[in-house]
Each structure stands twice: as structure tokens, then as C-alpha cells.
Amino acid sequence: MIQLNLIFILLVLTTFARYVVFDKFEPLMFAMIFTLPIASVVILLMSKKFAKKEQDYHPKNIDGWSFYHLQNTIINKKILYKGNEQRGYIKQFFQQKWQYVIADIISSRWYLSLEIQIDEDVYTVLWYRKKRFTNQEHWYIYKNNEKIGKASTLINLKNTAKLKEAIAFQFGDVSLTTVATTVTSSISLMDGEHLVGGLKRNHLISNVQVIDVHENKPEYIIALIVHAFNFKN
């Protein structure tokens, strides 16, 4: 939405400057410019509708963990279920207000931080950047305000050429990796060479995300959610 509004302001200023400098004014072009704020309002209204659908989500015939992710415009809680039981939520947030503006203009994955509640525990995934000019993303992971791990994207020429997405996680002595291909929605969670979980859409055109982990370890769930929000949404 912010992107459309910025383009609208830029085009209005450009049209005004063209009129002042060249004494030229085209009413049809000026009228078309005003479709941008109208589109912004439409997106907001649709996003509110989708956000309500996210809040009203209740799993059907799903035994594992699941959540419904339909929109990124409105920052709200995505309810996290285990079977038919509500077990927590997922909420994206930004540590600084200007980060929200940049992310809205460019991509919702920029400056990605997450708050994830699982039962009585709250896990916070805080974004940070080691170097100013880099395409690698980094996060510290906290459980009830106590640091328990960290994560970093694995972006390199080899992975990019293979359309491969990967994030490395470290929880104490446990090293995990999430991997996926860019063209698919499914994500695999690896402990070394062993597959220990995955995340995928409930079906091809569904926005219900289903998490299947071999053990109900919160670290597994968090790792898959971070990958989904950073690469898939």
C-alpha cells in the first residue's frame, strides 16, 4: 500500500512540474493517476477481509500443526493449531517503524522478526545484519527472553543456481537446516543427513500451512516457520 501511495505522490508532483515548466496538462493522465490511491484502499479492504479469514481459521482433518497465512499487509496473529487444538500463534513484527515502511515497499521478508507462542512459551526471532551490504539474513532466537539459538540464510552462487533455499539453525549443540526449492512450497527440515520434519501447503491451491515433525520439539516448528515466512510468503 505504501508503495502505491508513494508512486501516486511522485506522479502528481511530476504532472505538476510538467505543467509549470512546459505548460502542458493532460486531464486523462491526471485522472488515471488517482486510480493508485483507489487501488491502495481496495488492497487494504481485501487485506482486512483476508485477515479475518486468518483469524477464523479452524483446521479440518489435519492431525499435525497448522496455520493459515493469506496476507502480509496487515500485521496480525496467525493462529497456530495442533490438530483441532489452538496451541499458540505466529506474528510478524518490526523492531523499528522505518523497517515496516521499507518492507511494505520492497518485500514483507525484509527485516523479518517473528513472535511465536507455543503453549506457555513465547519465542522471539529477532532479525539482525552482520554486514551492511550483504544478502545474508541473520536472526537471534529467544525463549521467554532468554537466548537459545541463532539462524542464518545460506545464500551463495551454488544454491542460487540450483534455485535452492536454505537456512542454518543452531540451538545449543543441535544444528538444523531447512531446505527447499524456490519453485515449490514444501520445506524440509534436516538434522545432519536425517529428515526430521517438513512444512507444506495442505493442497496445491491452499493457504493452509501444515507442519509435520517427527518429534514435537519447538525448535523444529520454529525453524520451519522462519523459513516459510522468509522465503515462501
Side-chain angles (χ1 to χ4, degrees):
M1 291 188 305
I2 295 176
Q3 183 182 40
L4 290 177
N5 291 329
L6 287 176
I7 295 173
F8 167 72
I9 294 171
L10 179 62
L11 290 177
V12 168
L13 292 176
T14 302
T15 302
F16 178 74
R18 187 168 181 264
Y19 174 73
V20 171
V21 176
F22 300 105
D23 194 26
K24 292 184 178 181
F25 179 75
E26 297 182 16
L28 179 59
M29 180 182 294
F30 191 69
M32 291 178 63
I33 291 173
F34 278 85
T35 61
L36 292 173
I38 294 173
S40 180
V41 172
V42 171
I43 291 172
L44 177 60
L45 294 176
M46 292 298 295
S47 296
K48 287 184 176 181
K49 180 179 179 181
F50 293 153
K52 187 177 185 306
K53 290 186 68 174
E54 290 176 336
Q55 294 299 305
D56 293 340
Y57 165 67
H58 195 84
K60 294 180 180 179
N61 302 319
I62 298 176
D63 295 327
W65 296 85
S66 69
F67 62 96
Y68 190 38
H69 193 175
L70 191 57
Q71 58 83 38
N72 294 307
T73 304
I74 297 175
I75 298 177
N76 64 334
K77 293 180 179 179
K78 324 290 185 182
I79 307 302
L80 183 62
Y81 282 91
K82 175 64 163 50
N84 292 318
E85 181 184 2
Q86 182 176 332
R87 297 282 293 273
Y89 63 81
I90 306 162
K91 183 179 180 181
Q92 182 177 356
F93 70 94
F94 297 91
Q95 299 174 59
Q96 303 291 335
K97 290 183 178 180
W98 62 265
Q99 292 178 346
Y100 169 75
V101 175
I102 298 299
D104 189 82
I105 294 172
I106 300 175
S107 170
S108 62
R109 70 184 59 175
W110 277 47
Y111 311 112
L112 173 70
S113 291
L114 295 170
E115 180 180 285
I116 304 169
Q117 181 187 352
I118 300 176
D119 296 328
E120 301 301 320
D121 297 313
V122 176
Y123 298 85
T124 308
V125 182
L126 287 182
W127 173 92
Y128 74 98
R129 181 161 286 160
K130 284 186 176 180
K131 298 179 181 179
R132 180 167 296 181
F133 300 105
T134 178
N135 57 356
Q136 303 287 359
E137 306 294 344
H138 304 271
W139 298 271
Y140 288 124
I141 303 172
Y142 297 82
K143 176 183 178 182
N144 301 325
N145 298 319
E146 181 179 349
K147 187 188 293 185
I148 61 168
K150 59 183 180 179
S152 302
T153 54
L154 301 174
I155 299 175
N156 51 49
L157 289 176
K158 181 179 179 180
N159 285 345
T160 301
K162 292 182 177 181
L163 299 178
K164 179 181 178 182
E165 308 162 350
I167 303 178
F169 293 83
Q170 190 69 41
F171 295 98
D173 296 331
V174 178
S175 298
L176 303 171
T177 306
T178 54
V179 293
T181 57
T182 304
V183 296
T184 63
S185 62
S186 60
I187 306 165
S188 297
L189 177 64
M190 309 297 296
D191 183 351
E193 299 296 322
H194 302 287
L195 178 67
V196 295
L199 182 150
K200 63 180 181 180
R201 295 178 184 271
N202 192 33
H203 53 76
L204 185 62
I205 59 173
S206 172
N207 289 97
V208 175
Q209 310 290 328
V210 179
I211 299 171
D212 178 25
V213 287
H214 297 179
E215 299 180 60
N216 281 322
K217 293 183 177 181
E219 294 85 355
Y220 291 3
I221 300 168
I222 291 164
L224 288 164
I225 290 172
V226 171
H227 190 118
F229 272 76
N230 186 71
F231 283 113
K232 299 302 185 184
N233 297 310

